[in-house]
Amino acid sequence: MSGLTVELQAPNGRKWAQPTGLFINNEFVPSSTGKTIESIDPATEQTIASVHAASASDIDAAVKAARAALKHPSWKQLPGTDRGILMAKFADLIEQNKETLATIDAWDNGKPYSVALTEDLPETINTIRYYSGWCDKIHGQTIPTSPQKFAYTLRQPIGVVGQIIPWNYPLAMAAWKLGPVLACGNTVVLKSAEQTPLSILKLGELVKEAGFPPGVINFVNGEGREAGAALVQHADVDKVAFTGSTGTAREIMKMAATTLKNITLETGGKSPLLVFDDCDLEQAVRWSHMGIMSNQGQICTATSRILVQKTIYERFIEAFKQQVKDVSKVGDQWDEATYQGPQVTKAQYDRILSYIETGRSEGATVLCGGQKHGDKGFFIQPTVFTDVKDSMRIYQEEIFGPVVTISTFETEDEAVERANNTTYGLGASVFTKDLERAHRVASEIESGMVWVNSSQDCDYRIPFGGVKQSGIGRELGEAGLEAYSQTKAVHVNMGTKL
Ligand code: NAI
Ligand code: MG
């Protein structure tokens, strides 16, 4: 094996050759500084592999590759239909390698293997496949203006796009960004999260095998402050798309201002889930548990603030506690029975435990959990807080772990007002059998997505994104194309008069 590939075997027995370089121009290359970052298995705290980390000069090389590819006839003049065929092939290759890719994300991120295989991988494949179908359906309009004149519009790619993704759904987040950016004919430098670079590098092999021209898709691993910041600040990057924390998004917006870059941001949340007393209680408990406890609570749209109508509060919390007991089995990624794996890193683990301490010291009651789980690995007990006040930090701030607050309300007006009393606006759930109320509340809630009698539904065909400080722009669906194409108006004068 070359110095840029290691042979790996995961605890589930699966073996593969893992690239560890930077994927630029369809080749794996070492970082110019030789700097590497260790990828850790959060269940055992053992190193999986050391992966090259990009410096500013590596980012420059990747951007140059993307710029050259953008102008190259093999990409620029490729008909949309053929671009769609390339993308469909890419989706097929991901599907053919789905067990290996799911193993990598499970190992590197800590999510249960069965979840990676049956949720993350289909989402990844479906998203790329869906956008492959858009490639030859992106076109402008013809607009008549006067008898002599008309205009037509061209929908053109934005250019070289820098994309920065987080670690909670490595492959799916890559697909959400790669699907529309490629469908619109851009070229891309995508920076994986330094906590979970392995599956993205493995995708690099498939990019090449699918037949994308060199430089169209480049993958770089690296630290946010170094590689991420270099990508955002690069003068030859036309657009930046980011998913991650609101704090980092704020920094990105500032950096992007220097060259007035087009930006799309998908950031944090503290999504409310409202349970009215006319709901199907069993359903409400099932979805509200899943809405915060799945993916180890590491979901931007997690419904982390549950508000229950006072009349059914006692019944709800008893049933919720039972649901945690019955369903939230904590364990490693490979055990079929595991519902909740370890948190992704020591940093996230520490941060969540410190929020749990904050909740205690603020005077909230720990209904269940509230501790680390076991002595090795970044495991945390699913934790439920009751007696929570709206002013508490655990009610206001994104914890990004298996920690939920449950509080009460009396009227619909109060519920909506308190649901909206946040700087965030990503998702929101409402549980009721009253159709009129369901749609009234859905309309009144300040969020990008609303789930009626559900939580966390997400689909490649449906727009996804936030209002307020949860983001700018939309991903997925037809709306996702807006972020990656720009409209040019061409005015045509057919007459001879002025
Ligand atoms: P982060 O927002 O700092 O990292 C996300 C991505 O941004 C990573 O690829 C990182 O390398 C990059 N990045 C970091 N600083 C950057 C900079 N200055 N310039 C350019 N790129 C930069 O999130 P982090 O530190 O991993 O997690 C902290 C908190 O963020 C979590 O506890 C959670 O609350 C939130 N978060 C939200 C996510 C979401 O899906 N909306 C995903 C991950 C984290
Ligand atoms: Mg890891």
Side-chain angles (χ1 to χ4, degrees):
M1 286 287 120
S2 83
L4 292 173
T5 311
V6 289
E7 284 294 338
L8 293 180
Q9 182 171 17
N12 65 351
R14 188 160 278 273
K15 291 182 190 174
W16 68 96
Q18 174 65 49
T20 60
L22 309 170
F23 183 73
I24 299 175
N25 254 329
N26 278 4
E27 301 296 340
F28 288 99
V29 296
S31 60
S32 55
T33 56
K35 190 173 158 186
T36 58
I37 298 175
E38 295 199 338
S39 241
I40 307 286
D41 170 4
T44 61
E45 305 181 37
Q46 304 283 311
T47 299
I48 302 170
S50 288
V51 183
H52 283 260
S55 65
S57 90
D58 298 317
I59 294 295
D60 185 50
V63 171
K64 284 200 168 88
R67 179 60 63 188
L70 188 70
K71 293 180 182 158
H72 198 279
S74 67
W75 184 248
K76 190 173 182 181
Q77 284 168 24
L78 190 69
T81 301
D82 296 337
R83 201 160 69 237
I85 291 169
L86 268 184
M87 286 186 69
K89 181 139 186 240
F90 185 38
D92 289 347
L93 287 169
I94 297 171
E95 191 160 43
Q96 284 161 27
N97 289 277
K98 66 176 194 254
E99 288 86 1
T100 298
L101 290 165
T103 300
I104 300 176
D105 267 0
W107 204 9
D108 208 2
N109 165 282
K111 63 178 69 203
Y113 171 71
S114 58
V115 173
L117 185 66
T118 61
E119 295 178 22
D120 293 38
L121 263 295
E123 183 172 339
T124 304
I125 296 157
N126 284 335
T127 303
I128 301 286
R129 205 167 266 157
Y130 168 79
Y131 279 108
S132 76
W134 270 114
C135 292
D136 56 4
K137 297 171 193 69
I138 300 169
H139 45 67
Q141 298 172 305
T142 308
I143 307 155
T145 51
S146 73
Q148 288 83 28
K149 290 181 175 178
F150 73 97
Y152 63 91
T153 60
L154 294 170
R155 280 185 76 181
Q156 297 185 314
I158 293 181
V160 173
V161 178
Q163 300 184 320
I164 298 174
I165 60 169
W167 41 259
N168 50 347
Y169 296 92
L171 285 166
M173 289 298 99
W176 284 28
K177 297 235 173 328
L178 291 173
V181 85
L182 295 171
C184 295
N186 302 274
T187 60
V188 57
V189 177
L190 181 144
K191 192 194 86 62
S192 54
E194 58 270 40
Q195 298 85 351
T196 52
L198 299 175
S199 59
I200 310 303
L201 291 177
K202 197 68 187 163
L203 273 193
E205 287 180 349
L206 308 183
V207 163
K208 190 170 177 176
E209 197 180 335
F212 284 99
V216 169
I217 305 171
N218 305 278
F219 294 135
V220 292
N221 175 41
E223 274 164 15
R225 288 192 178 280
E226 190 171 356
L231 186 57
V232 177
Q233 287 169 321
H234 200 293
D236 209 26
V237 169
D238 300 299
K239 178 188 174 107
V240 171
F242 165 83
T243 299
S245 64
T246 297
T248 298
R250 228 171 255 132
E251 285 181 44
I252 287 178
M253 216 168 159
K254 272 190 217 152
M255 289 189 276
T258 316
T259 51
L260 223 64
K261 280 186 183 67
N262 178 318
I263 49 174
T264 300
L265 305 171
E266 198 264 285
T267 61
K270 191 75 182 177
S271 299
L273 183 146
L274 307 182
V275 185
F276 288 92
D277 63 7
D278 63 352
C279 74
D280 177 333
L281 191 67
E282 205 180 307
Q283 280 283 69
V285 169
R286 223 160 53 95
W287 285 106
S288 57
H289 169 269
M290 187 279 249
I292 178 63
M293 297 303 176
S294 57
N295 210 44
Q296 296 67 248
Q298 300 165 154
I299 318 178
C300 51
T301 48
T303 32
S304 51
R305 282 190 297 146
I306 301 177
L307 290 113
V308 184
Q309 200 152 22
K310 211 165 187 174
T311 37
I312 56 163
Y313 177 70
E314 296 300 331
R315 280 169 61 209
F316 182 88
I317 59 169
E318 274 317 303
F320 195 91
K321 194 172 160 184
Q322 191 60 40
Q323 185 77 0
V324 170
K325 203 167 158 214
D326 294 345
V327 178
S328 280
K329 186 178 178 310
V330 181
D332 73 26
Q333 302 95 312
W334 318 108
D335 185 341
E336 278 287 325
T338 297
Y339 181 85
Q340 184 189 312
Q343 306 308 129
V344 69
T345 56
K346 175 91 169 44
Q348 288 301 119
Y349 168 85
D350 287 341
R351 187 184 138 105
I352 296 161
L353 288 176
S354 114
Y355 265 114
I356 293 174
E357 277 323 301
T358 302
R360 277 202 183 90
S361 65
E362 284 177 317
T365 302
V366 178
L367 180 72
C368 60
Q371 310 284 344
K372 64 177 186 167
H373 170 99
D375 290 322
K376 200 167 57 156
F378 311 133
F379 296 96
I380 292 179
Q381 295 173 350
T383 299
V384 180
F385 278 107
T386 54
D387 300 316
V388 177
K389 295 200 179 69
D390 293 14
S391 57
M392 291 180 180
R393 282 184 58 205
I394 56 165
Y395 182 89
Q396 293 286 341
E397 298 175 20
E398 181 175 55
I399 300 176
F400 226 62
V403 181
V404 71
T405 66
I406 306 180
S407 39
T408 61
F409 68 85
E410 290 187 31
T411 65
E412 181 184 317
D413 284 349
E414 180 200 344
V416 171
E417 194 187 315
R418 300 217 347 253
N420 288 342
N421 182 18
T422 165
T423 54
Y424 292 119
L426 203 48
S429 288
V430 49
F431 284 84
T432 177
K433 282 188 186 158
D434 179 340
L435 269 182
E436 211 178 317
R437 166 147 66 200
H439 297 295
R440 187 168 59 227
V441 171
S443 157
E444 286 305 311
I445 284 212
E446 296 163 0
S447 68
M449 284 82 59
V450 177
W451 300 285
V452 175
N453 295 324
S454 189
S455 182
Q456 306 309 311
D457 297 309
C458 179
D459 187 289
Y460 47 93
R461 293 161 291 201
I462 315 293
F464 180 103
V467 303
K468 293 156 85 175
Q469 292 185 35
S470 286
I472 297 175
R474 290 293 175 270
E475 299 193 275
L476 300 182
E478 186 176 0
L481 299 168
E482 295 296 322
Y484 296 108
S485 60
Q486 49 195 353
T487 302
K488 178 186 281 172
V490 182
H491 293 265
V492 180
N493 179 7
M494 300 175 294
T496 50
K497 292 183 197 141
L498 256 185

Short mmCIF file of all heavy atoms in Angstrom, two decimals, residues 39-42 48 107-109 195-196 344-345, ligand 2:
data_model
loop_
_atom_site.label_atom_id
_atom_site.label_comp_id
_atom_site.label_asym_id
_atom_site.label_seq_id
_atom_site.Cartn_x
_atom_site.Cartn_y
_atom_site.Cartn_z
N SER A 39 -8.29 10.13 13.32
CA SER A 39 -9.72 9.82 13.39
C SER A 39 -9.91 8.78 14.47
O SER A 39 -9.23 7.75 14.49
CB SER A 39 -10.18 9.27 12.04
OG SER A 39 -11.15 10.10 11.50
N ILE A 40 -10.84 9.04 15.36
CA ILE A 40 -10.98 8.23 16.58
C ILE A 40 -12.30 7.44 16.55
O ILE A 40 -13.32 7.96 16.10
CB ILE A 40 -11.04 9.17 17.82
CG1 ILE A 40 -9.85 10.14 17.84
CG2 ILE A 40 -11.16 8.41 19.12
CD1 ILE A 40 -8.55 9.54 18.24
N ASP A 41 -12.27 6.23 17.04
CA ASP A 41 -13.50 5.47 17.30
C ASP A 41 -14.04 5.93 18.65
O ASP A 41 -13.42 5.66 19.69
CB ASP A 41 -13.18 3.97 17.33
CG ASP A 41 -14.35 3.12 17.82
OD1 ASP A 41 -15.45 3.68 18.06
OD2 ASP A 41 -14.16 1.90 17.97
N PRO A 42 -15.17 6.61 18.69
CA PRO A 42 -15.63 7.18 19.96
C PRO A 42 -16.11 6.14 20.97
O PRO A 42 -16.29 6.46 22.14
CB PRO A 42 -16.78 8.10 19.54
CG PRO A 42 -17.22 7.63 18.21
CD PRO A 42 -16.05 6.98 17.56
N ILE A 48 -8.41 5.22 14.59
CA ILE A 48 -8.72 4.39 13.43
C ILE A 48 -7.63 4.59 12.37
O ILE A 48 -7.08 3.65 11.83
CB ILE A 48 -10.10 4.72 12.84
CG1 ILE A 48 -11.21 4.56 13.89
CG2 ILE A 48 -10.39 3.89 11.60
CD1 ILE A 48 -12.57 5.10 13.46
N TRP A 107 -18.07 3.60 12.43
CA TRP A 107 -16.84 3.51 13.21
C TRP A 107 -16.32 4.90 13.59
O TRP A 107 -15.96 5.17 14.73
CB TRP A 107 -15.79 2.78 12.36
CG TRP A 107 -14.71 2.11 13.15
CD1 TRP A 107 -14.66 1.95 14.50
CD2 TRP A 107 -13.53 1.50 12.61
NE1 TRP A 107 -13.52 1.26 14.84
CE2 TRP A 107 -12.82 0.98 13.70
CE3 TRP A 107 -13.03 1.33 11.32
CZ2 TRP A 107 -11.60 0.31 13.53
CZ3 TRP A 107 -11.83 0.67 11.16
CH2 TRP A 107 -11.12 0.16 12.24
N ASP A 108 -16.31 5.78 12.61
CA ASP A 108 -15.72 7.10 12.79
C ASP A 108 -16.62 8.04 13.59
O ASP A 108 -16.15 8.85 14.39
CB ASP A 108 -15.46 7.70 11.39
CG ASP A 108 -14.30 8.69 11.37
OD1 ASP A 108 -13.68 8.88 12.43
OD2 ASP A 108 -14.03 9.26 10.30
N ASN A 109 -17.93 7.91 13.39
CA ASN A 109 -18.88 8.83 14.02
C ASN A 109 -19.46 8.28 15.32
O ASN A 109 -19.81 9.05 16.23
CB ASN A 109 -20.02 9.15 13.02
CG ASN A 109 -21.21 9.79 13.69
OD1 ASN A 109 -22.02 9.11 14.32
ND2 ASN A 109 -21.34 11.11 13.58
N GLN A 195 -13.50 15.56 12.37
CA GLN A 195 -13.83 14.43 13.25
C GLN A 195 -14.21 13.19 12.45
O GLN A 195 -14.10 12.08 12.95
CB GLN A 195 -15.01 14.81 14.17
CG GLN A 195 -14.74 15.98 15.10
CD GLN A 195 -15.00 17.34 14.44
OE1 GLN A 195 -15.23 17.44 13.24
NE2 GLN A 195 -14.94 18.40 15.24
N THR A 196 -14.69 13.38 11.21
CA THR A 196 -15.21 12.25 10.42
C THR A 196 -14.83 12.35 8.93
O THR A 196 -15.71 12.45 8.07
CB THR A 196 -16.76 12.21 10.51
OG1 THR A 196 -17.24 13.51 10.16
CG2 THR A 196 -17.27 11.82 11.87
N VAL A 344 -19.83 11.83 19.33
CA VAL A 344 -18.79 11.76 18.30
C VAL A 344 -17.37 11.95 18.83
O VAL A 344 -16.44 11.30 18.35
CB VAL A 344 -19.10 12.75 17.15
CG1 VAL A 344 -18.95 14.19 17.62
CG2 VAL A 344 -18.23 12.50 15.94
N THR A 345 -17.20 12.87 19.78
CA THR A 345 -15.84 13.17 20.27
C THR A 345 -15.87 13.45 21.77
O THR A 345 -16.92 13.69 22.35
CB THR A 345 -15.26 14.46 19.61
OG1 THR A 345 -16.18 15.53 19.86
CG2 THR A 345 -15.03 14.31 18.12
MG MG B 2 -14.22 9.76 14.82
#
